[in-house]
Amino acid sequence: MPAYRAPVKDTQFVLDAIVGLDKYSNLLGFADATPDVVKAILEEGGKFCEQVLAPINLSGDIEGCSRHDDGSVTTPTGFKAAYAQFMEAGWGTLIADAEYGGQGLPYVIGTAMSEYLSSANMAFSMYPGLNEGAQAAIEAVGSEAQKKQFLPNMVAGRWTGTMNLTEPQCGTDLGLIRTRAEPRPDGTYAITGTKIFISAGEHDLNDNIIHLVLAKTAGAPDNVKGISLFIVPKFLVNADGSLGARNGVKCGSIEHKMGIHANATCVMNYDGATGYMLGEENKGLRAMFIMMNAARLGVGVQGLAQGEVAYQNAVTYARDRTQGRALTGPADPAAKADPIIVHPDVRRMLMDGRAFNEGARALVLWGALQVDLAHKAATPEERQLADDLISLLTPVIKGYCTDKGYEIATASQQVYGGHGYIREWGMEQFVRDARIAQIYEGTNGIQAMDLVGRKLAMNGGRGMRAYLALVSEALADAKADERLAVVAGPLEKSLGELQSATMWLMTNAMAKPDNAGAGATAYLHLMGIVALGHMWLLMAKASHAALDSGASDTDFYTNKLITARYFAERYTPDAGALRSKIEAGSESLMAMAAQAF
Amino acid sequence: MPAYRAPVKDTQFVLDAIVGLDKYSNLLGFADATPDVVKAILEEGGKFCEQVLAPINLSGDIEGCSRHDDGSVTTPTGFKAAYAQFMEAGWGTLIADAEYGGQGLPYVIGTAMSEYLSSANMAFSMYPGLNEGAQAAIEAVGSEAQKKQFLPNMVAGRWTGTMNLTEPQCGTDLGLIRTRAEPRPDGTYAITGTKIFISAGEHDLNDNIIHLVLAKTAGAPDNVKGISLFIVPKFLVNADGSLGARNGVKCGSIEHKMGIHANATCVMNYDGATGYMLGEENKGLRAMFIMMNAARLGVGVQGLAQGEVAYQNAVTYARDRTQGRALTGPADPAAKADPIIVHPDVRRMLMDGRAFNEGARALVLWGALQVDLAHKAATPEERQLADDLISLLTPVIKGYCTDKGYEIATASQQVYGGHGYIREWGMEQFVRDARIAQIYEGTNGIQAMDLVGRKLAMNGGRGMRAYLALVSEALADAKADERLAVVAGPLEKSLGELQSATMWLMTNAMAKPDNAGAGATAYLHLMGIVALGHMWLLMAKASHAALDSGASDTDFYTNKLITARYFAERYTPDAGALRSKIEAGSESLMAMAAQAF
């Protein structure tokens, strides 16, 4: 059975070297995140993930969820008990507002923990994960009464939340929504329609489910400007927070999916269910995007998380499995064969994983810090900068980290040879689970279009200019230490490719927007390489500094430097190829008639 | 439910433009492969795949195989009937020797058909596929009596064959085999041991199963030089071919796998089973490699086949599904949204599939022709050349076509958005099925080592020199027509990268073999790009020629030219990146201690 070990030391290294938690101790929430508190959270949270969640990951996949005739859903054996422990320990309250019972810690700490949760048991982690997104939307646009009515129980985990966007005819294009909201005299709405792909839509983990549902009121514009957002609880909630009558919403079926079997993906039928408008009429999409943006970062973390757990198990297997001999002669002459970690091609798969995982961990925690700073930084300029940066990087984190996470999970499975294809070894589950992250919360193609078609040009390109300046600054700074050249040189080159590609798009995509669409995915990947390269440069610098100052754990920092170099040698060369693909434009892509395919 | 349409016209185009079937009509078997015969086989064979096999692909995946307490195995509903039709129509006899009831057609025709079989139902196609491999081994090294005893029923499909190599402790490294063969006075052997991952090891499709089993005789060298090959029938076979007693071999369990659920992957327990030595003692590996090489080409075809069927369904979905608007303005203003095939990023995924599938089809059929020529060409020089080429290209076809086939299946699934993740749509099955092809018959890492560590240097590099000359010749030839520059230019550049990388390996891998291992996979991919580019150049040339000579189906040839250009623009840029990765060497890869991962 696969195992999981929370990479606490690596997380702490990133929190020190990249995030620099201590620099922000004057900000709300950060003051509480003292080194001791952070250490305790990571260690205890990591233990919970290792000991409670990881052991029910494979069994949960095999057993899956079951729906009963009355529409109720049972989660796999052990999930209800694990959820009770999760709730009890308060793991769902880390970043929630103290006003509603949360611990008010920085988002970056919550993100660190969410990686562990998702590595240990991605399907489980989605129940609290969606809950967190729903809380964010209610907190952002809900009335005071709504916040008081719903948030305390949601924060405590006694209730969970969901996002209801998709319908059979409408996924990306939410203008096509058909779910109707009819006003009732008492100010509530009757919600009627069918939603599909509703993660955690029904389950037996706790007492109530708070659905956030996109629907159209009568007479609303028949496009994205006519969508409102509603709170539709499974059980109606009295003013005092106690539960009332069962509402007219029911799980019609659960999907048979490629993976995340232990998370119930539901078809939800709304039949005149009582709903409460959340935020303003026809502004539902805005509120939903508050949820969505946080969710997209969270999905990027899932990509990393599956890459990490798959990598860890591949390492164990590569050390244990003996087969063949090292190319340089027997490594263990007494045995009949050497462990396969002696083979360079096996190491290639492991180092690919390591270089991605550690780089991506730095990137998502850096991104999470920007979320904190966008809300809490001392000056409006700092808040603006952080908001610009995270708006720009969100599609990169979501798209690049999930594409690569899937690749790393696949490569880690490959290390197992034939055993990787067998369910009991658990590796193929990581691949199947990782796959959804490229699809949901906006497919990676949508992320790429968001980046190229929207984020690049937003505010006259202010965010992109700030980001390019940030990376250039790190490069300029690195000139002072020639030991960094092995990492900085390739980053500088890939940054040049990114700048050329950006210029090419500016010149060629205005008049011909298909050129933007044709190069969007390649551009997102190019930017992902630069973003991870930037993180590796900062980590290399911090590692040299630690070694120079006589840090005791020299192996740890030396291995960081080796991995930084590996990233530079093995990931950055793709930047040039991606630029070529972007600059090939859309001509051959759009030339064929649709019927000719 | 997904559908399949055999790409008969595309196959015929390759048989004309690349293979040039008519040029070989003087050779054994080719004389019978007249244009009419080939057309009839492709069309009727295609129909069989479309109408009989494709409809039971998804249901077979869902139902899977079941093993009963007595060790017998039931295949999914419809498989037995489909197999009977397969046998009846003689689809398993195409390339078999006429002496044993086969049709004696060229291997290249069998390969064309095997693509269709594997696209329509990969799990089904493996039953006859393994049978074909087993026949090849018996034909190559069996005694006359063995051939007469086993081949007629195997060719007819009344019996199927298997390959038994792997054991729990031994996959790639066959020197570790523990299965024992003890001689008996009557000249037979008692075979005892456990084999795992035996595809089609037990089933209910027909009367008997002929296991080919690797085992060690007493006193044999305890390494790969001490392995012998044995025929171990499920039911003993009398001299007249009639069935005798049940032999001491039994299916102990079937594996729970990521995919190919409808093919029984068995643990086979041999308990003093009667075996007949096949070929010479201690030369079992040689005989097994006869099977294996053909099997590796066949696995390459599986990569293409899953890419093709996934692509076809993605095209259908992209034409039907409406969502959003074209970047250039509504394509269908009367509707509420445009079909998603208007979006460049969706087209990118489709064109990636098209460019790979059509290029890979040309490559595998070209490769199959080399197999024919290696046996049947008129002169020893021609036979030698063909053998050199296919020895060199076999790992490339296996490794590159399966890696890319998995990518294309994944990208085609991505076109479906959330629906791609749902079992009923069938797309996730293509991904899961495609995945095994990267693993079995030697993982793709092993293919890469075979290419770099063995094939490149074989006979003093004669094969590689011949191959480089072949591509260079096509490029020189293309200079005469400047319309080909758009395809030839990028191919020439990628050939240059391949030559530089080859030179680098020659210079750097002799003294330091880890450099070969570290670059092996990148080198295999680089060679794959050149190989497909070569095919696209030849197809572009043939398309221009057809258009110049006034061929009626101008769209067909124009679309080939568009796709050729797309390949040049979007696949070949990776060549430079791959060369950089190769030239990065093994230093950072091998630097970390095994325990530090």
Side-chain angles (χ1 to χ4, degrees):
Chain A
M1 208 177 72
Y4 175 63
R5 189 189 50 75
V8 173
K9 187 165 187 180
D10 288 278
T11 305
Q12 285 187 302
F13 171 70
V14 172
L15 291 178
D16 289 346
I18 304 286
V19 172
L21 262 193
D22 52 325
K23 290 200 295 275
Y24 303 104
S25 55
N26 59 326
L27 304 183
L28 187 69
F30 283 78
D32 300 327
T34 61
D36 285 352
V37 167
V38 171
K39 186 162 184 276
I41 290 175
L42 297 179
E43 286 180 354
E44 289 308 309
K47 246 185 247 169
F48 173 79
C49 292
E50 293 165 2
Q51 297 172 3
V52 178
L53 296 186
I56 56 171
N57 189 42
L58 177 60
S59 58
D61 177 71
I62 293 171
E63 186 181 342
C65 293
S66 29
R67 178 188 172 277
H68 311 288
D69 289 344
D70 63 355
S72 67
V73 168
T74 307
T75 55
T77 306
F79 271 56
K80 202 176 156 78
Y83 187 80
Q85 278 185 262
F86 175 88
M87 212 163 45
E88 173 81 15
W91 294 122
T93 68
L94 294 179
I95 62 165
D97 198 325
E99 195 179 340
Y100 308 108
Q103 303 182 50
L105 287 163
Y107 186 68
V108 66
I109 303 299
T111 301
M113 178 68 184
S114 78
E115 181 204 324
Y116 299 174
L117 291 166
S118 184
S119 277
N121 197 321
M122 179 165 156
F124 178 95
S125 74
M126 291 170 65
Y127 294 102
L130 284 153
N131 190 13
E132 218 170 80
Q135 291 167 43
I138 293 174
E139 193 158 358
V141 300
S143 67
E144 277 312 306
Q146 287 172 333
K147 292 183 196 177
K148 285 213 176 82
Q149 196 179 10
F150 294 102
L151 288 178
N153 279 308
M154 291 174 79
V155 167
R158 284 186 291 271
W159 306 345
T160 52
T162 71
M163 298 168 66
N164 287 238
L165 291 79
T166 307
E167 300 179 8
Q169 79 293 345
C170 127
T172 298
D173 187 351
L174 292 168
L176 303 175
I177 276 179
R178 290 189 194 140
T179 297
R180 299 187 320 276
E182 285 171 26
R184 286 173 177 155
D186 65 355
T188 68
Y189 289 79
I191 310 291
T192 302
T194 300
K195 295 287 180 178
I196 65 171
F197 301 159
I198 308 309
S199 299
E202 181 58 74
H203 59 76
D204 58 355
L205 298 182
N206 57 8
D207 302 336
N208 201 9
I209 301 174
I210 310 303
H211 301 290
L212 300 195
V213 183
L214 290 183
K216 286 180 178 170
T217 53
D222 193 17
N223 55 45
V224 289
K225 289 174 184 149
I227 301 175
S228 302
L229 182 59
F230 297 87
I231 298 177
V232 186
K234 175 179 168 185
F235 287 99
L236 295 178
V237 176
N238 300 319
D240 65 356
S242 65
L243 295 186
R246 183 72 167 81
N247 203 355
V249 48
K250 204 167 157 178
C251 166
S253 63
I254 55 178
E255 303 284 1
H256 303 104
K257 306 187 299 292
M258 185 182 194
I260 49 167
H261 292 159
N263 197 280
T265 304
C266 301
V267 173
M268 298 303 297
N269 296 322
Y270 292 85
D271 186 12
T274 297
Y276 312 95
M277 191 174 284
L278 180 60
E280 292 176 58
E281 188 167 2
N282 296 340
K283 298 277 170 67
L285 222 50
R286 219 191 104 254
M288 195 52 103
F289 264 96
I290 293 170
M291 257 166 98
M292 188 76 100
N293 271 323
R296 285 177 175 180
L297 281 183
V299 174
V301 174
Q302 291 178 334
L304 153 64
Q306 295 309 295
E308 172 68 27
V309 68
Y311 160 81
Q312 287 187 13
N313 283 282
V315 166
T316 304
Y317 189 82
R319 279 200 206 107
D320 291 350
R321 173 80 170 176
T322 56
Q323 205 79 184
R325 287 299 191 186
L327 295 169
T328 46
D332 182 3
K336 292 183 81 172
D338 290 332
I340 61 173
I341 201 167
V342 302
H343 303 308
D345 191 66
V346 170
R347 278 190 175 241
R348 171 189 60 81
M349 297 186 270
L350 299 179
M351 288 299 293
D352 275 352
R354 195 173 175 88
F356 165 72
N357 293 335
E358 296 185 8
R361 180 172 301 113
L363 182 64
V364 301
L365 293 178
W366 174 88
L369 173 70
Q370 306 312 314
V371 174
D372 281 316
L373 295 180
H375 292 103
K376 300 176 179 172
T379 68
E381 290 74 23
E382 289 171 276
R383 291 197 292 273
Q384 180 70 72
L385 174 64
D387 192 55
D388 283 352
L389 290 174
I390 194 56
S391 295
L392 179 73
L393 270 299
T394 292
V396 177
I397 290 173
K398 196 281 188 184
Y400 185 75
C401 291
T402 61
D403 278 353
K404 286 289 158 183
Y406 178 68
E407 272 180 43
I408 298 305
T410 299
S412 301
Q413 177 192 23
Q414 189 76 15
V415 170
Y416 279 64
H419 298 285
Y421 203 65
I422 306 297
R423 194 173 67 187
E424 284 74 7
W425 288 85
M427 298 304 287
E428 57 97 34
Q429 180 188 356
F430 298 138
V431 175
R432 288 186 289 100
D433 286 357
R435 184 70 184 90
I436 189 60
Q438 300 171 283
I439 297 173
Y440 62 15
E441 305 302 343
T443 63
N444 285 358
I446 292 296
Q447 304 302 323
M449 284 307 297
D450 179 44
L451 174 64
V452 166
R454 219 174 129 255
K455 298 297 176 60
L456 267 190
M458 214 158 77
N459 303 312
R462 193 178 65 203
M464 188 61 180
R465 277 198 307 279
Y467 184 67
L468 293 173
L470 192 73
V471 180
S472 301
E473 209 174 284
L475 283 166
D477 185 51
K479 302 276 183 207
D481 186 347
E482 65 181 20
R483 295 174 302 178
L484 291 172
V486 66
V487 181
L491 171 61
E492 191 160 20
K493 201 165 165 223
S494 59
L495 182 68
E497 307 286 7
L498 179 63
Q499 285 167 317
S500 301
T502 310
M503 194 65 78
W504 189 92
L505 283 178
M506 283 170 61
T507 315
N508 293 282
M510 299 284 197
K512 204 173 170 185
D514 279 343
N515 279 333
T521 290
Y523 189 88
L524 183 147
H525 277 249
L526 175 47
M527 202 150 155
I529 290 170
V530 170
L532 259 65
H534 176 216
M535 292 296 122
W536 270 117
L537 178 58
L538 300 181
M539 290 194 284
K541 191 185 160 194
S543 299
H544 277 302
L547 289 168
D548 292 348
S549 70
S552 61
D553 194 355
T554 54
D555 281 355
F556 180 82
Y557 298 106
T558 305
N559 291 334
K560 289 275 179 243
L561 290 170
I562 291 168
T563 312
R565 179 178 159 195
Y566 184 87
F567 182 87
E569 289 172 350
R570 296 282 188 144
Y571 275 76
T572 54
D574 288 334
L578 291 164
R579 193 197 67 171
S580 295
K581 293 174 195 182
I582 294 162
E583 295 181 2
S586 60
E587 212 173 288
S588 66
L589 201 63
M590 303 306 287
M592 270 175 47
Q595 287 313 313
F597 276 83
Chain B
M1 207 178 76
Y4 174 64
R5 189 189 50 74
V8 173
K9 190 166 182 177
D10 288 279
T11 305
Q12 284 187 303
F13 171 70
V14 172
L15 291 178
D16 289 346
I18 303 286
V19 173
L21 263 193
D22 54 324
K23 289 199 296 275
Y24 303 103
S25 55
N26 58 324
L27 304 183
L28 187 68
F30 283 79
D32 299 326
T34 62
D36 285 352
V37 167
V38 172
K39 187 163 184 276
I41 289 174
L42 297 179
E43 285 180 352
E44 290 308 308
K47 248 185 245 169
F48 173 79
C49 293
E50 293 165 3
Q51 297 172 2
V52 178
L53 296 187
I56 55 172
N57 189 42
L58 177 59
S59 58
D61 177 70
I62 293 171
E63 186 179 341
C65 294
S66 29
R67 177 188 173 277
H68 310 289
D69 289 343
D70 63 355
S72 66
V73 169
T74 308
T75 55
T77 307
F79 271 56
K80 200 176 156 81
Y83 187 80
Q85 276 185 265
F86 175 90
M87 214 164 45
E88 172 82 14
W91 293 122
T93 68
L94 293 179
I95 62 165
D97 198 324
E99 196 179 339
Y100 307 109
Q103 301 181 50
L105 287 164
Y107 186 69
V108 66
I109 303 300
T111 301
M113 179 68 183
S114 77
E115 180 203 327
Y116 300 174
L117 291 165
S118 183
S119 277
N121 196 320
M122 180 165 154
F124 178 95
S125 74
M126 291 170 66
Y127 294 102
L130 283 154
N131 190 13
E132 218 169 79
Q135 291 166 43
I138 295 174
E139 196 159 353
V141 299
S143 67
E144 277 314 304
Q146 286 171 332
K147 293 182 194 178
K148 286 215 177 79
Q149 196 179 10
F150 293 102
L151 287 178
N153 278 309
M154 291 175 79
V155 167
R158 283 185 292 272
W159 306 345
T160 51
T162 70
M163 296 168 67
N164 288 238
L165 290 79
T166 307
E167 299 180 9
Q169 79 293 347
C170 123
T172 297
D173 187 351
L174 292 169
L176 304 176
I177 277 179
R178 289 188 195 143
T179 297
R180 299 186 322 275
E182 284 169 25
R184 288 171 176 158
D186 65 356
T188 68
Y189 289 78
I191 310 292
T192 302
T194 299
K195 295 287 181 177
I196 64 170
F197 301 160
I198 308 308
S199 299
E202 181 59 73
H203 59 75
D204 59 356
L205 298 181
N206 57 10
D207 302 337
N208 201 9
I209 301 174
I210 310 303
H211 301 290
L212 300 195
V213 184
L214 290 183
K216 286 181 178 170
T217 53
D222 193 18
N223 55 42
V224 290
K225 289 175 184 148
I227 300 174
S228 302
L229 182 60
F230 297 87
I231 299 177
V232 185
K234 174 179 168 186
F235 288 99
L236 295 177
V237 175
N238 302 318
D240 65 357
S242 63
L243 296 187
R246 185 71 166 81
N247 202 355
V249 49
K250 203 166 157 179
C251 166
S253 63
I254 55 178
E255 303 284 1
H256 302 106
K257 306 187 301 291
M258 184 183 195
I260 50 167
H261 293 159
N263 197 280
T265 304
C266 302
V267 173
M268 298 303 297
N269 296 322
Y270 293 85
D271 185 12
T274 298
Y276 312 96
M277 191 173 282
L278 181 60
E280 291 175 59
E281 188 167 1
N282 296 341
K283 296 280 170 66
L285 222 49
R286 218 192 105 254
M288 195 52 103
F289 265 97
I290 293 170
M291 258 166 98
M292 189 76 102
N293 271 322
R296 285 177 173 181
L297 280 182
V299 174
V301 173
Q302 291 178 333
L304 154 63
Q306 295 308 295
E308 171 68 26
V309 68
Y311 160 81
Q312 287 187 14
N313 283 282
V315 166
T316 304
Y317 189 81
R319 279 201 206 108
D320 291 350
R321 173 79 169 176
T322 57
Q323 205 79 182
R325 289 297 192 185
L327 295 169
T328 47
D332 182 1
K336 292 182 80 171
D338 291 331
I340 62 172
I341 200 167
V342 302
H343 303 308
D345 191 66
V346 170
R347 278 192 176 238
R348 171 189 62 80
M349 296 186 269
L350 299 179
M351 288 299 293
D352 276 352
R354 196 174 174 88
F356 166 71
N357 293 335
E358 296 185 9
R361 180 173 300 115
L363 182 63
V364 300
L365 293 178
W366 174 87
L369 173 69
Q370 306 312 313
V371 174
D372 281 316
L373 295 179
H375 292 103
K376 300 174 179 173
T379 67
E381 291 74 22
E382 288 171 276
R383 291 197 292 273
Q384 180 71 74
L385 174 64
D387 193 54
D388 284 352
L389 290 173
I390 194 58
S391 295
L392 180 72
L393 270 299
T394 291
V396 177
I397 291 173
K398 197 282 187 184
Y400 186 75
C401 291
T402 60
D403 278 352
K404 286 288 158 184
Y406 178 68
E407 272 181 41
I408 297 305
T410 299
S412 301
Q413 176 192 22
Q414 189 76 12
V415 170
Y416 279 64
H419 299 285
Y421 203 65
I422 307 297
R423 194 173 68 185
E424 285 73 8
W425 289 86
M427 298 304 287
E428 57 96 35
Q429 181 188 356
F430 298 138
V431 175
R432 288 185 289 101
D433 286 358
R435 184 70 185 90
I436 190 59
Q438 300 172 283
I439 298 173
Y440 61 16
E441 306 303 344
T443 63
N444 286 357
I446 292 295
Q447 303 302 321
M449 283 308 296
D450 179 45
L451 174 63
V452 166
R454 218 173 130 254
K455 299 295 176 62
L456 268 190
M458 212 158 78
N459 303 311
R462 192 177 66 203
M464 188 61 181
R465 277 198 307 279
Y467 184 66
L468 292 173
L470 193 72
V471 180
S472 301
E473 209 174 283
L475 282 167
D477 186 50
K479 302 275 185 208
D481 186 346
E482 65 182 21
R483 296 174 301 179
L484 291 173
V486 65
V487 182
L491 172 61
E492 193 160 18
K493 203 167 162 222
S494 58
L495 182 67
E497 307 285 7
L498 179 63
Q499 285 167 317
S500 301
T502 310
M503 195 65 76
W504 190 91
L505 284 178
M506 282 169 61
T507 314
N508 294 283
M510 299 285 197
K512 202 173 170 187
D514 279 342
N515 279 332
T521 290
Y523 189 89
L524 182 147
H525 276 249
L526 175 48
M527 202 150 156
I529 290 170
V530 170
L532 258 65
H534 176 217
M535 293 295 123
W536 271 117
L537 179 59
L538 299 180
M539 291 194 283
K541 189 183 164 196
S543 299
H544 278 303
L547 289 167
D548 291 348
S549 70
S552 60
D553 194 355
T554 53
D555 281 357
F556 180 83
Y557 298 106
T558 305
N559 291 334
K560 288 275 179 244
L561 291 170
I562 291 168
T563 312
R565 181 180 156 194
Y566 183 88
F567 182 88
E569 289 173 351
R570 296 281 190 145
Y571 276 76
T572 53
D574 288 333
L578 290 164
R579 193 198 63 174
S580 296
K581 293 174 196 181
I582 295 162
E583 294 180 4
S586 59
E587 211 173 288
S588 66
L589 202 63
M590 303 307 288
M592 270 174 47
Q595 287 313 314
F597 276 83

